[in-house]
Each structure stands twice: as C-alpha cells, then as structure tokens.
Amino acid sequence: MDNKLITVTSPLLPDLAEFNEILKDIWNRKWITNNGHFHQELEKALCEYLKVPYISLFTNGTLPLITALQALRITGEVITTPYSFVATTHSLWWNGIKPVFVDIDPKTGNLDPDKIEAAITPKTTAIMPVHVYGKPCDTQRIKEIADKYGLKVIYDAAHAFGVEVNGESILNAGDMSTLSFHATKVYNTIEGGALVMHDAETKKRIDYLKNFGFANETTVVAPGINSKMDEVRAAYGLLNLRQVDAAIEARHQVAIKYREALRNMEGITFFDDMPAVKHNYSYFPIFVDAEKYGMTRDELYFKMKEKNVLGRRYFYPLISTFSTYRGLESARPENLPIAHKMADTVICLPMHHTLSEEDIERILNTIITQQ
C-alpha cells in the first residue's frame, strides 16, 4: 500500500512464542512481583550489557528521577534544561524543588556548561542535565562545576540506553543516572525504567525507597513509594535484550540514509555522530530554516502528516512555557534563545528498526520535493 501510515516509532517486541514460554515459567513460579526471579535476572543482565556496577529496576522512567532526588536528599533549587520531556522537570516539582532553567548548546541540544555557573545561587543543590536524543552531555565540564560548588549531579538518561564514550558507559557519569524503558524507546519493557548508581549501599537504599521504605518485614526506614517492576515486564525485557543490538544497527542504517539524502538540502540541518561515541540512534531530529527551506517547520510537519508520514516536534513546546513553570525568572524566553529556536524548528523523523527502503524513500521524498 503506497500510502500506508509511517509511524514515528515502533516498539521492539520479543518473539511471541518465546514470550509465551517465559510466561508459562512465571505462571509455574507463581511469583509475579516483589523482586522475583526475572526481576533479579534482568538487573544482572542490564548491569553487564550497560557496563554499570549497580542498577535498580522501576515500573516507569519517571519514578527513578523522583526517587534519585529523594535518595540524595536534594532540596532548594536544581539547574536543569527546558529542552526535554516534561518528566524531567515534573520530578523536581513533585519533590518541592524549584527548577532553574539554563539554555542549551546549539551543537548538541544539551545543557550548555558555559551557562551553568551564572545560574548557581546559595539555594542550588544539584544539576539535572539530560542526554538529549541520546547525545552525551559534556560530563567532564559538568563534573568540574559540580565539584567546585559541592553540587550533586543526576543525569536524565532516558534516551541514552547503551550509549558510550571511549568505550565507557555514559550512565556512570554523575551521582546517578536514570533510564526509561517506555514502549517508544530503543529498548523497552512496555513501561519501565531504571536507576544506575555506583555502590551497593546506595542500591540498597534505592531498593528500600521503591518498596514503601521496607528494609525487612517489620522495619520501614523511609517514606518510600511503590515503583517496583513486575515479573512479566522483567521477562519481556530479558527477551528484548537479546535483539536490541540488531535493532540499534537497523536504526543506524536509517540514520545513514537520512544523512546521505539530506546532507545538501538547503534549509535542513541535523546532528552528525559525535567522535568516540557509540550512539543508539534513538531519534533523528532535523531542523527547518524556514527562510532557506521555503516552508516553516509546522508547514512541513503537517504536510508530512497529510502524506501519512508521522514526525514529532520533540521537544515542542519548551517545558519552560508550560503554565506550571512559565512564571519562573529562569523561564523567560530571553534567557533561553537557543532552546526556543531549537524547539521552534525541530521535527524528529520516523526512526525505528522496522522501516523499509520504501518507507525511507517516501519520508525523504516528502521533505526533498516538498510535495
């Protein structure tokens, strides 16, 4: 069908027959949540795959952010980016913390280290950067600033599954890193997430916090919440881990084709791979210069939609423009010119492992011919 709907993403799904077999195992064990067999197995497997020392699984990608802030006892103000999914800033708000927005680097879309120090006040306790589109932040610069001012660093690494710099996982940067395993991500457990930490003591505390604060049957050590991953999703995640490398390579090939076709397209720009970085190709954002391209971002976005090609204006609008946050001093548009420009010009093109040659040709044809 020439005009079939091309979705912006498609979930990585385990083989149904294999999943049925593993479900039988869960049914036989009759242990479907509360740190069961597959939960433990997935934590071990992810530590090995991601090259991290300790990981704690969660039922979604937002609760690890909320829990990391609790575990590190973050209060006052936290410096963060307006160019992200709302969960980043919502996690601060839910902890009674004031977000302080800082502008982004046009070369990466990530928090600009050159702008961080000017935003630090006596109330600042942490920095929460985001590896936007899975592109690594300048972790060394951020560490230097954090160390200088005695700040904690929590990375929102929702997009950064498997991303490495010089063979080292970027999830090991900062005090903690959080992951999302939502259905739209490179690797998914339907819904799910994780928190990466550096030592066994911190893992123990996180595991208490995600289970109501229980340390044992009768001892509650903190006001925790219930955010544990169940056995069904953990088993699903184990199966998906077997095929995620092939899915990432398929995405890589899509990115290569996009770049080849759009490299010299007037008014369309995109990010190239970063040196020494193992990318996961979770997204492929393009940026539309209306003057040079002859069409605004929104005109192209809706034109694609008419052709049954779904893009995503990700991230638009900026978090700082939402009603909860727009009254903050740091949310004023004049403080965030790069973030506003990026939000107003971005379209994430369809990017997933099931795109066919014909799909890619249709997507590119819509952009190149503008018809």
Side-chain angles (χ1 to χ4, degrees):
M1 181 179 168
D2 288 339
N3 206 32
K4 73 162 189 178
L5 184 68
I6 301 176
T7 55
V8 71
T9 187
S10 182
L12 184 63
L13 294 164
D15 179 80
L16 195 53
E18 285 188 314
F19 192 44
N20 280 331
E21 284 304 309
I22 216 165
L23 285 176
K24 287 177 191 171
D25 192 336
I26 293 170
W27 259 240
N28 289 334
R29 291 173 189 274
K30 297 183 175 60
W31 186 337
I32 61 172
T33 188
N34 286 1
N35 197 34
H37 171 76
F38 290 106
H39 183 286
Q40 293 176 44
E41 287 299 304
L42 183 56
E43 284 194 344
K44 286 181 204 160
L46 284 171
C47 279
E48 188 177 332
Y49 180 89
L50 296 170
K51 302 181 183 177
V52 298
Y54 297 96
I55 199 164
S56 184
L57 291 173
F58 282 75
T59 194
N60 61 47
T62 303
L63 288 164
L65 286 165
I66 291 171
T67 307
L69 291 160
Q70 283 282 323
L72 294 171
R73 299 180 174 89
I74 304 302
T75 59
E77 297 177 356
V78 170
I79 291 168
T80 191
T81 172
Y83 194 76
S84 180
F85 185 62
V86 290
T88 307
T89 314
H90 285 355
S91 69
L92 298 170
W93 207 260
W94 272 63
N95 277 285
I97 297 163
K98 179 182 176 182
V100 176
F101 296 114
V102 162
D103 208 4
I104 59 176
D105 182 340
K107 297 189 293 294
T108 62
N110 293 331
L111 199 62
D112 188 342
D114 290 339
K115 309 277 174 59
I116 291 174
E117 285 194 77
I120 295 172
T121 75
K123 293 180 181 176
T124 307
T125 55
I127 307 169
M128 188 182 275
V130 179
H131 300 296
V132 174
Y133 307 129
K135 297 176 72 62
C137 291
D138 189 338
T139 55
Q140 186 55 41
R141 290 278 311 283
I142 291 169
K143 182 183 188 308
E144 288 164 5
I145 295 165
D147 288 350
K148 180 177 174 182
Y149 292 93
L151 307 176
K152 299 291 187 185
V153 180
I154 300 168
Y155 279 99
D156 181 338
H159 296 174
F161 184 89
V163 175
E164 299 176 5
V165 181
N166 292 315
E168 166 78 13
S169 172
I170 62 166
L171 302 174
N172 288 318
D175 292 278
M176 293 185 194
S177 290
T178 71
L179 285 161
S180 170
F181 302 150
H182 184 264
T184 57
K185 299 295 187 283
V186 168
Y187 168 84
N188 82 88
T189 58
I190 305 173
E191 283 272 6
L195 192 49
V196 174
M197 64 290 293
H198 303 307
D199 60 88
E201 202 55 43
T202 305
K203 171 160 169 61
K204 189 191 293 183
R205 177 166 168 76
I206 295 298
D207 287 347
Y208 292 162
L209 284 172
K210 75 176 184 185
N211 187 32
F212 306 101
F214 278 106
N216 57 43
E217 192 179 338
T218 56
T219 308
V220 174
V221 295
I225 50 176
N226 181 19
S227 50
K228 307 178 297 290
M229 181 182 283
D230 59 78
E231 285 292 270
V232 173
R233 283 186 285 176
Y236 175 109
L238 275 168
L239 293 177
N240 259 353
L241 202 53
R242 297 178 189 171
Q243 57 177 357
V244 71
D245 284 340
I248 290 170
E249 181 50 33
R251 288 167 172 266
H252 183 196
Q253 294 306 313
V254 176
I256 288 170
K257 292 180 176 74
Y258 281 161
R259 286 177 179 144
E260 282 174 354
L262 298 174
R263 176 74 61 191
N264 300 311
M265 185 76 205
E266 188 75 9
I268 300 289
T269 53
F270 50 80
F271 295 126
D272 277 306
D273 284 358
M274 297 167 73
V277 172
K278 178 187 173 188
H279 290 279
N280 66 9
Y281 305 96
S282 48
Y283 301 90
F284 195 91
I286 62 168
F287 302 93
V288 182
D289 181 328
E291 199 174 304
K292 291 180 181 172
Y293 182 64
M295 192 184 284
T296 66
R297 184 277 305 276
D298 284 351
E299 284 170 341
L300 175 58
Y301 170 77
F302 288 112
K303 177 64 69 180
M304 288 167 63
K305 219 171 194 178
E306 282 171 26
K307 300 287 184 183
N308 265 356
V309 175
L310 300 185
R312 188 176 180 191
R313 294 169 291 182
Y314 198 55
F315 302 98
Y316 169 84
L318 288 181
I319 298 174
S320 53
T321 66
F322 294 130
S323 58
T324 307
Y325 307 110
R326 63 182 175 227
L328 297 171
E329 176 69 21
S330 64
R332 290 168 61 176
E334 58 267 34
N335 295 331
L336 308 167
I338 308 296
H340 273 276
K341 182 180 179 185
M342 202 167 278
D344 289 343
T345 57
V346 68
I347 303 178
C348 284
L349 300 185
M351 171 54 83
H352 49 88
H353 62 294
T354 66
L355 288 170
S356 67
E357 295 285 345
E358 292 76 17
D359 293 337
I360 296 166
E361 193 175 327
R362 260 184 65 203
I363 295 159
L364 289 168
N365 194 51
T366 307
I367 299 164
I368 292 166
T369 65
Q370 300 183 15
Q371 290 175 359

